[in-house]
Every structure is written in C-alpha cells, then in structure tokens.
Amino acid sequence: MPTVRLDAVVKRYPNGTEALNGLSFEVEPGEFVYLSGPSGAGKTTLIKLLLRMETASDGDILVFGKNLRALRKSSIPYLRRNVGVIFQDFRLLHDRTVYDNVAVGLYILGLSRREVRQRVEGVLYDLGIDRYAGAYPPMLSGGEQQRVAVGRALAMQPALILADEPTGNLDWELSSDIVRLFESLNERGATVLMATHDRFLIEAYPKRTLLLNKGFLIEDQRLPGEEIEDQ
Amino acid sequence: MNEQEQPARDPDRPEAPASQPASPPSGLAIVRRAIHLLSEGVRGLLISPGQVLACVASLAVATCLVTLFGSFGSTAVDMLERAGHRARVIIYLKERVSSEQVSELLKEIGKRPDVEFANYLSAEEDRARNAALLPPDLASSLPPATIPGQHCIEAGFGDSTERIPDVVGLTSFLRDLEEVEVVAEPPVGAARIRAASAAVRFGRLALSVLAALLVVSTLFFVVGTLTRTMERRREEMSILRLIGATDAFLKTPLYIQGILQGAAGVLIGASLGRFAISAANTWLATELAVAISLPTGEDMLVPFSLLAGAVIGTLGAFIATSRRLP
Ligand SMILES: Nc1ncnc2c1ncn2[C@@H]1O[C@H](COP(=O)(O)OP(=O)(O)OP(=O)(O)O)[C@@H](O)[C@H]1O
Ligand SMILES: [Mg+2]
C-alpha cells in the first residue's frame, strides 16, 4: 500500500484558480521525494491537500490507504498525528520555549511527562539544539528555528514527513544540514515529501523528483537507484 | 548504502507507528491530557489578566447583588405573606341568628375561592379575642363586661402570593347576607393588602428579571475574555490543529478558564454578599432592635458558588467557542 496516492486530483480554489490539474502519482513507504517546480506550480496546495487543510475538487487522495474524501472531520486530527509537517515559515509558538514547542505534539498524543521529556531531550540533542531548550524561538537564528520546527515534527515520530520549502531562506550550509537530517529520518523509516525549487540542492542530493508546473505533473524523475551521497 | 535499491525501511515502523493510535486514545492518556489542559486553562487566565480581573470583579458584584436582593427579597416576601395570612374579615352576626343558620353561612362563605377558612366565634370568644388585642395592663384594669363581644364568623384569605384576595368582593357579598350585621375589614385595609400582595409578586418578578440580566451581562464578560484568549492564541490554535489537536483539545482550556473565572467571581461575590447580610443583621438587631434575621445561606455558599460559577463558565465557553474556534 503506497503511503501517498493521488488519482486525477484537481484543486480549484473558490476564485477559480486551478492550482492542480489532474495529478496522479504514488509515493511508496520509505521513499524520499522532492516536489519541485516554479512558483505557483501547486506545491503548497498539494501539501495542504495531503494534510487535509484543503479538499480536492476532484479525484482521490489516499494517505496511508485512507481516502481523504471519505475521512470524517473528527478523524482529521488522527491523520495529522501521523504526518509531520514543516512549514517554510516554521510556525513556531513564539511565547513557548523551544522545549515546549517540541513537546506540544506529544501532549496532544497524551504521552506521560516522563516520555515527553525523554523524547524531547533526545530530539533536541539529535538536532544539536539541546542547549536552547529553555530559549524562546525569536531569540534563535533562522537555522535554529528551522531545527525546532523539524524537532516538533520529528518528536511525534511521524510515518510521513511533509516539508514545504524547508530550506527556503537558509544558506547552503544550513540547507544541506536540513536535507541530511531528513535523509537520516528517512533511513529510520519515515517517508519524506519535500517541496523545494532549489535546483542545486536537488543536484547535490539527488532523489526522485516530481516536477510540477501550473498544476500539471510535468515529469516524474526517478533515479536508477537511490543514491546516498557521501557528504 | 549504495547497494540499496529500495529506500531504507524499518520493519518496526509501519505506516502508522504504534505510538500514534489511529483511533481515540486510552483512559490514561486522557487523564494525562486533562492535566496538561488544566495547566493550559490556567495559562489562559494570564493572557489578559486585566480583563480577567474585570470579568471576575463584575461577576462578583453581580453575585453580591443577587445574594443581597435574594436575601432581602425572600425576607420581604416572607413578611408580606405572613401579613396576607393574617388578613381576615370579621363578620358580626345579628343576635337572633341561630346555630343552623350559622352553619349554613359558614358553608356559603367557605365556598368562595379566596376564602381559606371560616370559623365561628361565640360572643365570649370574641370578647376574649378583643381583650387580647388590648395592651395587657389596660385589659386587666377594665371590667370584662366593658370589653365588647358579639358572636361572629372569622374568615381568612388564602395565600396572598398566589391570588390577590378579593377583599372588596367578599365584603360586599357578606354585607348583602341577611344575617350579617356588620363586616369588619382587616385593620390594614383591603386596598393595602391588595397593593402589598401585588408588590410582592411584582418584586419577585423584578428580582428574577434583574438576576437574569446580571447573569446575562456577566456571561457577556466571560465570553469577552474567552474570545480575547482565543484571539491571542489564534495562531497557536491553528498550529496545534495542523499537528493533530482535536476540537476538544483546543476547547477544553477555554472551558477550564471560563469555569475558573466563573467560580472565582461567584465565590467572591457570594462571600461579599453574605458578609453584607450578616452586617445588616447585626445592625438590625443592635441599632433598630428588630428581630429580623436575613438568611445568609452560609451552608450553601461554596457548593452553590462552584456550581453557579461552573454553569456560567461553561455557558460562556460554549458561546465563545461555538462562535468561531480558530
Ligand atoms: N487560497 C487560495 N485561493 C486562491 N488561489 C490560491 C490559493 N492558494 C494558492 N492559490 C493559487 O494556486 C496556485 C498554486 O499555488 P501554490 O501556493 O500551491 O504554489 P506553490 O507551488 O507552492 O508556489 P511557491 O513556490 O510560490 O510557494 C497559484 O496560482 C496560487 O495563486
Ligand atoms: Mg508554496
């Protein structure tokens, strides 16, 4: 069963914009896929559809085998708990500490305080931001905030990670760090779908790439074998 | 890892890892979450402390007033009811009326809907009753024969709060009876009893309308603070939603905040009201030497306050969250 499956998906916004035009593809469990294309191609729209922030105008979207069209409203939170999402603008809670930002999803899951502490400390350590546990996001650099956002998704141990331009305004060094981090999550079993239009990043860390343009799937670039970079 | 055709996959990590149930969680998880949400609710109180204080203060004032009005009102109702009960008409009968005629008359009077009871008093009983009305020293100094006594029927009105006693109607009905000599109206006068009982009813209505208005206005305050909390946390709530928070997870802190605010306001107000009532009682007893004790409802204070506060808080949170949750 593919983790993500789109079948002739159309997304028409209320103002008439056709953001997606009959998109069909599948992402298998454990894959790392780039979602690329110029501005306005429909990358963010696709991520919103997968998170059920928006609904498709036509066609079917299956996540973990569940058709999102048939998903009851009350079941949406349970879908989202298995999907870690990282937004380009981080979407951190500015009046909560880094620790709390990473812990917040775990409270939603109803973990015990001890489990929360174990997971959060582990994640902060893995991301190299454990010394900022008590700091507030606005005090951190862009790269550090990005890591907090990744940590929040990571702590929930999602089976699917959706990242919308997670390297959008980071320098090369930080962008590479983020991609390598996703690679290591991917190695531990997570399926990753990362929207980016950074060609250099894709070239440096080549993976299957879905190229969108004006809502159409232009190209599904598969690698002959998943090459893991030695960098 | 170059030899791997397939991307890395961990057999222990299926699509939906075990740590994240696809269905609603267990009881223990709910308890943990409840503790977390309780602290979030308290946190909500600190988002706009000034507004929360204003809300608690207005609730306290409203509750204090309701308590005072309730206490005074129920005392007034009580007193007027007793006055109403005491209101009676005395029907002096002609000397020649026989006992058969008396029982006929009693039956006839008793048939009237506003008459609660009708008793026959002999001339001697009437004399004794009249003597009892005089100041004791005067009564004992007078020769018994000088105190008037005539056989009569004493008719009492029913519960004055249920129905305005038709004193005038009853009196004219009695006057037209052949056997009747004189009809003595109650000392306070028919018109005043009617006015008093109307006042009681109006007072009760006014008090309940006032109490309802106060509750509605404080509810408005509670909804206001919760809306404010929601606005301040709009961004936060939308983020929480995106990472899997349920409606209940987002709403519960608001309900907790509302209930805490409501309970605090009502408890403070009821305590203030109780304090004012006992001060009033002391004043009535020492300064006015009136043996009226206004009820303080002390034993009901805490449970009533918590219940009322919870109801107001819950209602406020319901209104606030159903209008628009981020
Ligand atoms: N809420 C909306 N209402 C109407 N039109 C929208 C809405 N969101 C996006 N669009 C339109 O849908 C199209 C796709 O937008 P989308 O944000 O998905 O593109 P994108 O690939 O993420 O672009 P970028 O690289 O700039 O982030 C665009 O033409 C955009 O203007
Ligand atoms: Mg976008």
Side-chain angles (χ1 to χ4, degrees), chain B residues 169-227:
Chain B
L170 179 64
T171 312
S172 60
F173 160 77
L174 292 170
R175 283 207 178 101
D176 291 344
L177 292 176
E178 200 202 321
E179 301 88 340
V180 173
E181 192 170 74
V182 178
V183 178
E185 283 185 16
V188 270
R192 282 205 211 152
I193 286 208
R194 294 173 80 161
S197 70
V200 168
R201 288 169 10 138
F202 175 75
R204 278 198 162 172
L205 184 70
L207 283 179
S208 34
V209 167
L210 195 67
L213 280 179
L214 283 174
V215 168
V216 168
S217 67
T218 55
L219 205 56
F220 183 76
F221 268 90
V222 174
V223 173
T225 48
L226 294 180
T227 306

Side-chain angles (χ1 to χ4, degrees), chain A residues 1 29-30 53 64 77 80-82 87 91 96 104 107-110 112 119 152 156-159 187, chain B residues 2 7-9 13 15 17 19-20 22 32-33 36 40 43 233 236 239-244 246 249:
Chain A
M1 181 182 65
M53 291 164 72
F64 305 128
R80 290 180 179 166
R81 286 176 200 185
N82 289 312
F87 296 98
R91 301 233 189 155
R96 310 267 177 152
V104 72
Y107 289 121
I108 291 174
L109 294 181
S112 74
R119 279 213 207 174
R152 181 177 66 198
M156 294 177 83
Q157 298 179 353
E187 277 159 26
Chain B
N2 273 344
R9 209 185 292 185
R13 293 278 303 274
E15 286 87 320
S19 60
Q20 294 139 67
R32 288 182 193 131
R33 212 165 307 175
H36 175 72
E40 288 297 298
R43 220 185 129 93
R233 300 176 81 170
E236 175 178 336
I239 292 171
L240 291 179
R241 238 186 221 302
L242 292 180
I243 60 175
T246 54
F249 189 89

Side-chain angles (χ1 to χ4, degrees), chain A residues 120-135:
Chain A
V120 173
E121 281 172 0
V123 163
L124 292 180
Y125 181 81
D126 285 350
L127 292 167
I129 48 173
D130 44 333
R131 63 182 180 282
Y132 299 125

Side-chain angles (χ1 to χ4, degrees), chain B residues 117-187:
Chain B
F117 64 88
N119 295 325
Y120 174 72
L121 295 181
S122 68
E124 278 315 305
E125 284 168 328
D126 182 47
R127 199 187 310 282
R129 199 176 54 86
N130 285 336
L133 292 175
L134 296 171
D137 40 347
L138 180 62
S140 55
S141 67
L142 286 174
T146 58
I147 299 173
Q150 185 178 353
H151 73 156
C152 60
I153 288 172
E154 190 181 40
F157 294 109
D159 187 346
S160 60
T161 57
E162 292 302 319
R163 190 173 52 231
I164 297 172
D166 187 8
V167 180
V168 174
L170 179 64
T171 312
S172 60
F173 160 77
L174 292 170
R175 283 207 178 101
D176 291 344
L177 292 176
E178 200 202 321
E179 301 88 340
V180 173
E181 192 170 74
V182 178
V183 178
E185 283 185 16

Side-chain angles (χ1 to χ4, degrees), chain B residues 40-60:
Chain B
E40 288 297 298
V42 173
R43 220 185 129 93
L45 291 173
L46 306 175
I47 281 185
S48 43
Q51 199 174 2
V52 168
L53 275 182
C55 171
V56 169
S58 72
L59 243 176

